[in-house]
Amino acid sequence: MKHWVVIPALAALLMAQPAAAQQQAPSQDDEAVTELPSIDVRARAQRDVIESFVQAVTASPGHQGQVAQFNGAVCPGVVNLPAIPAQAINDRIARLALSLNLKVGEPGCKANVLIIAADGADRVASELVAMAPSVFETRDQSWRGRERRAAFLAPGQPARWWHISRTETGVFAGMSWSATPANAGPGAADHGLSGTGAPVGGGYGGNISSRGAVTNITGAIVVLDTREIGRVGVNALGDYVAMIALARLEPNADVGGLNTVLNLFQDEETRLSVEGLTPWDRAYLDGVYSAKRDALHAGWQEQEIARSMQRTLSGDGRTALADQ
């Protein structure tokens, strides 16, 4: 089964602030101590945090892989949420995609980003893997690749995600597969889904440095635990889903202490303070979608992303680090 027609079929079936540098008293033998301007120290610290963040959260299949991007039109479909929050999530994804210069499908488009909300999210994730095992196979045999699949199946997660991607050579044409997501109807309950059933589709209207190929995201699956998502605001949830859908991120990355929507499901205090996509998140996504698509390997792309973030955030360090 071709991967780029699988997600709609599933829809039919399922309907830190860095620590202050320790100052050491100068030795009596020192006649002079060179003091770096505080602004330079802060810039260096922020650069280190940015580089660590990019390396931690960016999912790529080993050093020789590439950072993946959507290329074809993005069309989200939300299953098992009431119409108003489902449309709000759709709108957040569409707005973010458009702001990244991506195309967004017209109303009624064929979904290639499937968001499934379920009370039994653990069971739904297992059923998805059982129904379409080839979709959840990873060509990345590194420990990171194995961890991503394990994370998708791990119990007790408020949100989990899986991206389908493929490497294309030749013309950088849109690669989106499509098939109309069907109304789940009465059978939705058989798969642990209930409620509105029908997905809400649509949106707003090689050389020494090159592989001669690009890695495109052709689809994304996001599974949300309804017992957890009800504790967060719909706008924050929509931005969170938009970010994890449009960028291929490592599920177990440690982003504690950073001002990012990825901390939405942390402790209660953090959860209440996260309002949505932050300048830090936006800088990362802009970096992902401005990086050289056909770079020889992901390491070069990650360096580009980090440099882009540094340029964007250097004007206001407060946007990068959470208040402590």
Side-chain angles (χ1 to χ4, degrees):
M1 181 181 293
K2 297 295 185 182
H3 290 175
W4 54 94
V5 299
V6 171
I7 290 180
L10 294 177
L13 288 171
L14 287 173
M15 294 306 251
Q17 181 87 350
Q22 295 182 354
Q23 296 184 358
Q24 183 176 356
S27 167
Q28 294 181 352
D29 294 333
D30 295 337
E31 294 183 358
V33 176
T34 301
E35 295 184 359
L36 295 176
S38 59
I39 189 171
D40 184 56
V41 173
R42 184 177 183 85
R44 289 173 181 268
Q46 179 170 277
R47 182 189 63 194
D48 292 343
V49 173
I50 288 173
E51 290 177 351
S52 296
F53 172 83
V54 171
Q55 292 173 8
V57 303
T58 307
S60 56
H63 186 67
Q64 295 303 316
Q66 291 175 317
V67 176
Q69 306 171 5
F70 266 100
N71 191 36
V74 174
C75 179
V78 181
V79 176
N80 198 37
L81 282 179
I84 292 177
Q87 190 61 55
I89 292 174
N90 258 351
D91 291 348
R92 290 282 177 167
I93 297 172
R95 286 193 186 103
L96 182 58
L98 288 171
S99 72
L100 294 170
N101 296 319
L102 297 174
K103 296 178 181 179
V104 175
E106 297 291 333
C109 61
K110 300 173 182 180
N112 58 6
V113 176
L114 181 61
I115 300 100
I116 304 169
D119 181 45
D122 295 346
R123 178 165 56 86
V124 169
S126 297
E127 289 178 352
L128 286 170
V129 174
M131 290 164 57
S134 62
V135 171
F136 295 91
E137 291 176 354
T138 174
R139 296 178 182 177
D140 178 9
Q141 299 303 314
S142 70
W143 62 271
R144 275 194 165 185
R146 294 190 295 270
E147 275 200 348
R148 287 179 207 126
R149 189 175 187 277
F152 186 81
L153 292 170
Q157 299 179 86
R160 66 195 80 200
W161 56 89
W162 187 265
H163 289 85
I164 302 170
S165 61
R166 57 177 177 163
T167 299
E168 300 286 342
T169 58
V171 178
F172 302 161
M175 310 299 175
S176 79
W177 38 256
S178 62
T180 304
N183 191 315
D190 298 336
H191 299 281
L193 300 177
S194 60
T196 56
V200 178
Y204 287 132
N207 49 47
I208 192 171
S209 64
S210 170
R211 293 180 61 183
V214 298
T215 301
N216 290 319
I217 298 173
T218 57
I221 301 171
V222 178
V223 180
L224 303 173
D225 189 332
T226 54
R227 293 169 297 185
E228 294 290 337
I229 63 175
R231 302 164 63 187
V232 301
V234 67
N235 289 338
L237 177 63
D239 282 358
Y240 176 91
V241 172
M243 183 162 183
I244 64 176
L246 297 181
R248 194 169 62 172
L249 304 178
E250 292 288 357
N252 295 323
D254 183 3
V255 293
L258 296 176
N259 188 15
T260 168
V261 74
L262 297 178
N263 281 319
L264 182 62
F265 294 105
Q266 296 300 318
D267 58 86
E268 189 66 24
E269 182 179 353
T270 301
R271 185 181 297 117
L272 293 173
S273 67
V274 176
E275 298 179 354
L277 209 69
T278 69
W280 174 270
D281 300 319
R282 181 67 215 210
Y284 174 78
L285 291 170
D286 285 341
V288 168
Y289 278 92
S290 64
K292 181 179 174 64
R293 298 200 64 223
D294 61 342
L296 190 61
H297 55 72
W300 287 7
Q301 291 171 302
E302 290 175 4
Q303 291 174 14
E304 278 192 80
I305 296 168
R307 287 195 295 267
S308 174
M309 288 186 69
Q310 180 65 23
R311 287 193 299 269
T312 300
L313 298 172
S314 60
D316 186 359
R318 293 174 300 174
T319 62
L321 304 172
D323 293 334
Q324 303 209 354

